[in-house]
Amino acid sequence: PVPLPHSEQLVTLNATHQQSGSYASAFALSYKQIDALRRDARSFSSVSGYNTIVRPVGAGDGTRISLLIEVTPDLFQTLGVQPKLGRVITTTDQNGPVVVINNAFWRERLHSDPKAIGSAITVSGKTRTVIGILPSSLRFPQGVNDAAVYVPIALNAKGEDDYNFDSAAAIARL
């Protein structure tokens, strides 16, 4: 079990591809597959995706390589997570220059500033506005204890995100 509301309802989704007579399992689903499951699957109340990478993140204390989690706009709804302060990423933020930070980032990089909501940080050279701070109990993806930022996945015409990924780890709620 993970410390999330009704964690018994959360499942990870994997793709299976047949290659030369044997089946190979892939951790990530394409963004098209995630959208199709979100739209058509009847067994899930929500389906979301995320990618975990490291990128330069600049705050008042300078720029450091930090954990970056790209998320589909409905990820926090799927997880059942409410912010400690501000709000989480939603579908209205899909292509917006926003960021949600975890509690460790807020403490370590923004010095627990109560006025952090609305402040600007840079992620991979792009200025983004902090819209939410997650509770200290949240460790997502599982085990993340370091300072991390969450940004909405924005897709280009080729179906790739800002980092040239065309797929993401998928999680769903039954």
Side-chain angles (χ1 to χ4, degrees), residues 48-101:
S48 304
Y50 65 94
N51 284 312
T52 304
I53 52 182
V54 291
R55 289 289 185 254
V57 176
D61 63 350
T63 299
R64 294 187 219 162
I65 297 297
S66 299
L67 192 59
L68 169 69
I69 298 103
E70 285 187 301
V71 303
T72 56
D74 53 354
L75 177 76
F76 296 108
Q77 174 191 350
T78 298
L79 297 177
V81 171
Q82 295 297 316
K84 175 179 183 167
L85 294 172
R87 65 180 182 85
V88 294
I89 295 166
T90 66
T91 54
T92 60
D93 299 309
Q94 189 155 352
N95 294 311
V98 297
V99 63
V100 170
I101 58 177

Side-chain angles (χ1 to χ4, degrees), residues 13 27-41 44 46-51 72 74 153 166-171:
L13 304 174
F27 184 63
L29 297 178
S30 73
Y31 294 126
K32 282 184 172 185
Q33 289 171 315
I34 293 170
D35 282 342
L37 284 168
R38 183 183 296 122
R39 186 180 56 250
D40 301 331
F44 306 121
S46 59
V47 179
S48 304
Y50 65 94
N51 284 312
T72 56
D74 53 354
I153 292 173
D166 62 359
S167 60
I171 188 167

